């Protein structure tokens, strides 16, 4: 059964870079049938899609995050990662990684989420 | 960017009720719409994809319909475990976007 697990620092200082990794188990991140996304949710608020990566390295980022976000993939470790630079308190959120099934229009598997707090 | 607007934002209902949540897209998205259920402190769970396809393992009391710009999620007979927040999401174009959510309360 496919599982996604986020890991990384839960506390980041303002202006620094947030770094998270999503480990994928029970399936290959190199499958051409899926893409891999990061989605976040500020406390008490709705969901925001941040960006995605395809196994070949193709990425697309939400323009709302401008040039602050970078998503990378490590096929040898079956994981993908998120970096968000110049963080502020507004970046405090639960961060989820998720798998999108290409063509079916859905995120069918999600990680449990990890809370990242931006505070000095 | 495509904006999704859900209505209502809050819905009070009782066990056994039939409820419908609407999601309107700012432009046509064909049938590339999904519905998710989220319970407190949990990740969203896929309920419906491509507007009307029930995700495996989801009870048949859930159904979805619509295409283009207007979509609905219907729960035919509410069960206690259905009380949660529901989000629609479009996967027709980038950036992917979500509705603001509908909180279904007892």
């Amino acid at each position: 059964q496919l599982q996604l697990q986020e890991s990384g620092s839960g506390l980041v200082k303002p202006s620094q870079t947030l770094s998270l990794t999503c480990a994928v188990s029970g399936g290959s991140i190199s499958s051409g049938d899926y893409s891999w996304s990061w989605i976040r949710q500020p406390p008490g608020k709705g969901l925001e899609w941040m960006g995605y990566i395809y196994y070949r390295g193709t990425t697309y980022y939400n323009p709302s995050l401008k040039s602050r976000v970078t998503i990378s993939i490590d096929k040898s470790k079956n994981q993908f990662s998120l970096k968000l630079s110049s963080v502020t308190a507004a970046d405090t959120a639960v961060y989820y990684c998720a798998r999108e099934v290409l063509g079916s229009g859905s995120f069918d598997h999600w990680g449990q989420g990890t809370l990242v707090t931006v505070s000095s | 960017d495509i904006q999704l607007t859900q209505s209502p934002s809050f819905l009070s209902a009782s066990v056994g009720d039939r409820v419908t949540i609407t999601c309107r897209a700012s432009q046509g998205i064909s049938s590339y719409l999904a519905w998710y259920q989220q319970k407190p402190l949990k990740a969203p769970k896929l309920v419906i994809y491509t507007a009307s396809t029930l995700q495996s393992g989801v009870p048949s009391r859930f159904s979805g319909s619509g295409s283009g710009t207007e979509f609905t999620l219907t729960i035919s007979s509410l069960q206690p475990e259905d009380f949660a927040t529901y989000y629609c999401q479009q996967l027709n174009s980038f950036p992917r976007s979500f509705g603001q959510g509908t909180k279904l309360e007892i």
Side-chain angles (χ1 to χ4, degrees):
Chain A
Q1 182 179 350
L2 188 81
Q3 291 189 323
L4 290 79
Q5 178 68 58
E6 304 91 348
S7 63
S9 176
L11 179 63
V12 182
K13 289 181 168 53
S15 80
Q16 294 191 342
T17 296
L18 176 161
S19 295
L20 296 174
T21 295
C22 180
V24 179
S25 58
S28 174
I29 203 169
S30 298
S31 170
D33 294 330
Y34 310 107
S35 65
W36 308 90
S37 286
W38 287 96
I39 296 156
R40 68 180 181 176
Q41 184 172 38
K45 296 188 178 180
L47 299 161
E48 179 185 29
W49 179 83
M50 301 180 70
Y52 96 109
I53 191 164
Y54 190 53
Y55 80 101
R56 290 178 178 173
T58 307
T59 56
Y60 189 99
Y61 303 132
N62 195 325
S64 67
L65 297 168
K66 297 180 181 179
S67 58
R68 297 197 297 132
V69 62
T70 303
I71 299 174
S72 58
I73 193 166
D74 187 337
K75 289 176 282 186
S76 68
K77 294 183 178 179
N78 219 41
Q79 64 186 34
F80 62 109
S81 299
L82 170 73
K83 291 188 185 298
L84 183 66
S85 62
S86 305
V87 297
T88 69
D91 295 309
T92 294
V94 175
Y95 287 75
Y96 296 101
C97 56
R99 183 181 83 169
E100 179 179 338
V101 182
L102 300 179
S104 85
S106 65
F107 287 85
D108 68 336
H109 283 83
W110 296 63
Q112 64 184 24
T114 187
L115 174 64
V116 178
T117 301
V118 178
S119 174
S120 56
Chain B
D1 296 2
I2 295 175
Q3 312 299 321
L4 297 178
T5 303
Q6 290 181 230
S7 59
S9 295
F10 296 93
L11 181 57
S12 293
S14 300
V15 173
D17 285 354
R18 177 184 180 92
V19 298
T20 297
I21 301 168
T22 298
C23 178
R24 290 186 172 85
S26 59
Q27 57 186 274
I29 58 171
S30 186
S31 296
Y32 289 104
L33 188 104
W35 290 96
Y36 300 88
Q37 176 193 71
Q38 187 179 33
K39 295 183 178 179
L41 302 179
K42 295 292 188 182
K45 172 189 169 186
L46 178 65
V47 177
I48 297 280
Y49 62 95
T50 52
S52 61
T53 305
L54 195 66
Q55 172 69 350
S56 176
V58 174
S60 59
R61 62 182 179 270
F62 289 87
S63 63
S65 66
S67 67
T69 61
E70 187 154 336
F71 302 85
T72 60
L73 171 70
T74 298
I75 309 172
S76 61
S77 178
L78 278 171
Q79 297 302 301
E81 61 268 29
D82 300 336
F83 292 93
T85 299
Y86 292 84
Y87 293 93
C88 60
Q89 183 201 15
Q90 66 84 17
L91 296 99
N92 181 72
S93 62
F94 291 104
R96 305 304 195 212
S97 50
F98 292 88
Q100 82 278 14
T102 295
K103 187 173 184 180
L104 179 54
E105 300 176 314
I106 299 175

